[in-house]
């Protein structure tokens, strides 16, 4: 290994990144841009869902109930409907996402402790919003009914202290308010850092396309010097993202950063080594940039979404997919980023994942070097 | 090194791609300090041969020695001592002239202390003074070609491999390029060059004709003209070249003088002939019969182009290839 050769390739590649606008954007701008875009589109907090009400009871209790339902930011009363026809019309026009129909016996049943005669209709074309409405209406109705029942019990002279109901309280640690954004930003980091891997695949394919590869192989630069020299600049570029993105996450999305930043940088560099080695394997096999790009989407980006446990829990995957997820650097890095950002754990806990990333990186680089030789020698 | 005067030696070189034989038992010797031309049509195996000599392709059979060192076994020992300019001038278009030169300089291990002067020299050699900071993509074909040559010789290689360096370059640039080559050879560099330009073949010290992966003639231009060419060339001057060629081939189709081949040569016709006297008479009779006026017929010394075409035709008639 000659450092002069290695430096020759690194320097050339850095010049490419700075001179070629496409590469510059892909490596230094795209990761941040995609992260912002995806955070906004995926982690939207559902709020102010418009609903309509059809009150057949028209009692003080039902009016009080309705008041409580729409007391928060989550559900807004759009219309006090007069008939089922009107509700149907509002649903079809998309003015409301859910409707609550209060039965004529609502207050009577409630006071007699016979349950709630309540009907909820949701717009099934938007199951996310509909499900949200059902959940929230359910919670409100339950607490409303409980309050009424407690009043009933008290008025009938039974002390509440003598009752020992099961008190199940769910507490979410590390993300106490269960804000989806907090969880998604560290996870997305492992996806958007795949873009420098695209560039590694593309830069190798580009040498084939412009037939400079043949010239390179006729120089005394060895194959491994060439591969490492091509990868290191993109690791450096990836590290720029590793520094910029947490700053944005902290300032913009109020994501907590509980771990050590230095350890985070080190673990990220190891991840980039593994992830970019994957790009290198693609670049070794694909001789054109378009083919390299297509395969990068297939091997780097899509599994990043579906198999690394960011959106879909790995435990819920079929066995084969679970196996595959182990071979994706993103799976391990997602655990690392969430750990460092949210839990605040460090190297002492995360070292097995770091070792796994080193193994994957070495295996991918080895594969690339092996086949690079066979393909052109 | 066994023999200092021999720079490249191949024997029985074969390269097969599946069923296709790209190079078929090629043997040749390149001597130190000469320009060795490898002449052949597109697809004849020139690039395959050059790639084998550079260790980029392993030969199926046969041996190669460059500077007395076996290829591809010890190719890493040789690479620092040779220069290569591949078919498409392999420069990085987004980098500037100086950045391209610096990259190849570093690739060949030039020390930083020498880099400045070496690059200045290379820029002067290629005539690109003042264009050091110009992106390579803004250079025309001839300039790019000279820059690529300068990049290939930055480290003063002992052997220079050039794969069709003049393809697609204008005649004046080609002329300048050859002047540069002669300067290099005067410094003691050995040049192996492939081309399909016949006029360039005359510039080479020695050449090999290659067709369908086989060498069909080799030697100095004079030797090739003397030995490889069977027969003479009749040069016919007529104002009705097309009519005459048509008449010759029509007569041939009817059974007359089957071996007679006519080629257009500028405004003249060249005919390869083993019996020039009889054929001159025959042609005059033929022309008269077809009412074609011949200004003159003379036996001339064949050019390399004549020889090359004659050789190619002979080997085709021999049926050495399967097509």
């Amino acid at each position: 290994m000659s450092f002069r050769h290695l430096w020759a390739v690194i320097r050339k590649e850095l010049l490419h990144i700075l001179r070629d606008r496409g590469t510059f954007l892909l490596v230094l701008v795209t990761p941040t841009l995609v992260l912002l875009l995806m955070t906004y589109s995926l982690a939207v907090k559902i709020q102010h869902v418009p609903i309509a009400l059809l009150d057949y009871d028209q009692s003080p209790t039902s009016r009080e109930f309705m008041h409580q339902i729409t007391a928060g930011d989550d559900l807004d009363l759009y219309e006090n409907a007069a008939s089922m026809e009107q509700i149907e019309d509002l649903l079809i026009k998309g003015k409301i996402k859910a409707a609550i129909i209060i039965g004529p016996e609502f207050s009577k049943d409630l006071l007699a402790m016979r349950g709630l005669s309540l009907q909820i209709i949701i717009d099934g074309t938007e199951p996310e919003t509909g499900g949200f409405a059902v959940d929230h209406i359910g919670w409100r109705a339950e607490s409303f009914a409980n309050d009424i029942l407690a009043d009933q019990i008290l008025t009938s002279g039974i002390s509440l202290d003598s009752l020992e109901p099961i008190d199940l309280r769910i507490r979410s640690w590390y993300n106490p308010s269960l804000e989806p954004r907090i969880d998604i930003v560290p996870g997305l980091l492992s996806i958007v850092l795949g873009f420098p891997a695209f560039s590694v695949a593309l830069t190798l394919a580009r040498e084939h396309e412009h037939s400079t590869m043949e010239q390179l192989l006729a120089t005394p630069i060895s194959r491994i010097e060439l591969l490492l020299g091509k990868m290191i600049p993109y690791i450096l570029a990836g590290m720029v993202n590793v520094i910029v993105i947490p700053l944005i996450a902290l300032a913009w999305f109020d994501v907590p950063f509980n771990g050590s930043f230095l350890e985070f940088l080190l673990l990220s560099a190891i991840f980039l080594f593994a992830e970019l080695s994957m790009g290198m394997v693609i670049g070794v096999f694909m001789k054109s940039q378009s083919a390299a790009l297509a395969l990068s989407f297939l091997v780097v980006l899509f599994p990043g979404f579906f198999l690394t446990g960011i959106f879909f829990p790995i435990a819920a995957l079929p066995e084969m997919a679970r196996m595959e997820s182990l071979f994706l650097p993103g799976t391990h890095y997602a655990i690392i980023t969430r750990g460092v950002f949210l839990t605040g754990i460090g190297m002492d806990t995360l070292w097995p994942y770091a070792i796994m990333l080193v193994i994957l990186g070495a295996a991918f680089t080895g594969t690339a070097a092996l086949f690079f030789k066979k393909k052109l020698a | 090194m066994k023999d200092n005067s021999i720079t490249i030696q191949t024997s029985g070189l074969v390269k097969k791609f599946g069923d296709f034989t790209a190079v078929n038992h090629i043997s040749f010797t390149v001597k130190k300090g000469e320009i060795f031309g490898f002449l052949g049509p597109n697809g004849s195996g020139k690039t395959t041969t050059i790639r084998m000599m550079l260790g980029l392709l392993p030969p199926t059979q046969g041996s190669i020695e460059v500077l007395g060192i076996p290829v591809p076994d010890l190719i890493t020992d040789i690479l620092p001592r040779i220069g290569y300019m591949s078919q498409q001038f392999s420069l990085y278009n987004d980098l500037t002239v100086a950045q391209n030169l610096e990259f190849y300089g570093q690739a060949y291990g030039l020390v930083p202390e020498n880099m400045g002067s070496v690059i200045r020299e290379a820029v002067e050699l290629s005539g690109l003074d003042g264009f050091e900071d110009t992106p390579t993509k803004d250079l025309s074909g001839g300039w790019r070609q000279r820059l690529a040559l300068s990049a290939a010789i930055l480290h003063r290689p002992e052997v220079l491999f050039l794969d069709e360096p003049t393809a697609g370059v204008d005649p004046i640039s080609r002329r300048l390029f050859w002047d540069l080559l002669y300067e290099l050879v005067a410094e003691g560099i050995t040049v192996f060059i492939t081309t399909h330009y016949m006029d360039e073949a005359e510039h080479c010290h020695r050449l090999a004709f290659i067709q369908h992966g086989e060498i069909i003639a080799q030697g100095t231009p004079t030797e090739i003209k003397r030995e490889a060419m069977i027969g003479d060339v009749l040069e016919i001057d007529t104002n009705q070249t097309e009519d005459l060629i048509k008449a010759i081939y029509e007569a041939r189709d009817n059974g007359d003088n089957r071996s007679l081949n006519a080629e257009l040569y500028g405004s003249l016709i060249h005919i390869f002939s083993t019996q020039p006297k009889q054929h001159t008479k025959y042609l005059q009779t033929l022309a008269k019969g077809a009412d074609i006026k011949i200004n003159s017929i003379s036996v001339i010394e064949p050019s390399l182009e004549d020889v090359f075409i004659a050789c190619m035709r002979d080997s085709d008639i021999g049926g050495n290839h399967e097509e």
Side-chain angles (χ1 to χ4, degrees), chain A residues 11 16 207 214-215 376, chain B residues 51 56 58 84 92 94 102:
Chain A
R11 184 174 171 277
H16 283 316
E207 300 269 5
E214 185 176 342
Q215 190 77 47
L376 294 144
Chain B
R51 283 181 179 164
L56 297 173
Y84 174 44
Y92 295 99
D94 49 341
E102 265 171 63

Side-chain angles (χ1 to χ4, degrees), chain B residues 159-228:
Chain B
V159 199
L160 186 58
F161 292 89
L162 305 169
D163 193 6
E164 297 204 4
T166 50
V169 171
D170 65 275
I172 296 166
S173 295
R174 274 169 61 193
R175 187 75 239 177
L176 286 168
F177 187 80
W178 274 91
D179 289 345
L180 256 170
L181 279 190
Y182 278 120
E183 276 178 46
L184 294 174
V185 170
E187 288 177 27
I189 292 181
T190 309
V191 177
F192 182 96
I193 182 170
T194 71
T195 180
H196 56 243
Y197 290 112
M198 303 297 168
D199 56 327
E200 290 188 341
E202 305 263 7
H203 297 312
C204 298
H205 297 123
R206 287 199 313 124
L207 357 128
F209 285 173
I210 179 170
Q211 194 195 14
H212 304 304
E214 288 174 30
I215 291 183
I216 50 180
Q218 65 175 314
T220 64
T222 332
E223 276 168 3
I224 287 183
K225 283 179 201 168
R226 200 173 54 224
E227 290 158 19

Side-chain angles (χ1 to χ4, degrees), chain A residues 204-219:
Chain A
L204 276 165
R206 186 161 42 228
E207 300 269 5
H208 282 292
E209 244 173 43
H210 296 185
S211 63
T212 42
M213 185 60 87
E214 185 176 342
Q215 190 77 47
L216 276 180
L217 293 176
T219 67

Side-chain angles (χ1 to χ4, degrees), chain B residues 100-141:
Chain B
N100 266 296
L101 290 171
E102 265 171 63
F103 171 66
Y104 282 110
Q106 287 173 331
Y108 281 98
L110 289 187
V111 290
E113 300 85 73
N114 295 343
M115 193 68 85
S117 63
V118 167
I119 285 175
R120 214 168 312 122
E121 226 174 277
V123 165
E124 273 169 34
L125 186 74
S126 47
L128 281 162
D129 312 61
F131 292 94
E132 289 89 343
D133 296 325
T134 307
T136 310
K137 61 170 174 283
D138 295 342
L139 300 177
S140 70

Side-chain angles (χ1 to χ4, degrees), chain A residues 256-267:
Chain A
F257 191 93
N258 296 319
S260 140
F261 198 68
L262 266 173
E263 282 182 351
F264 171 67
L265 288 186
L266 176 68
L267 289 163

Side-chain angles (χ1 to χ4, degrees), chain B residues 38-50:
Chain B
F38 217 50
L39 198 67
N42 294 331
S44 56
K46 300 190 298 281
T47 301
T48 306
T49 307
I50 227 170

Side-chain angles (χ1 to χ4, degrees), chain A residues 299-363:
Chain A
V299 176
V300 180
L301 198 65
F302 292 145
F305 274 107
F306 300 117
L307 298 180
T308 54
I310 297 164
F311 299 120
F312 309 101
I314 290 173
L317 295 174
E319 201 173 339
M320 285 293 280
R322 246 181 305 173
M323 284 282 285
E324 197 187 331
S325 74
L326 282 180
F327 292 100
L328 294 171
T331 306
H332 309 283
Y333 189 59
I335 294 169
I336 290 173
T337 49
R338 284 172 176 173
V340 173
F341 273 77
L342 307 178
T343 328
I345 47 177
M347 221 33 175
D348 48 341
T349 320
L350 291 170
W351 63 267
Y353 301 102
I355 286 181
M356 195 59 203
L357 286 175
V358 171
I359 293 172
L360 285 176

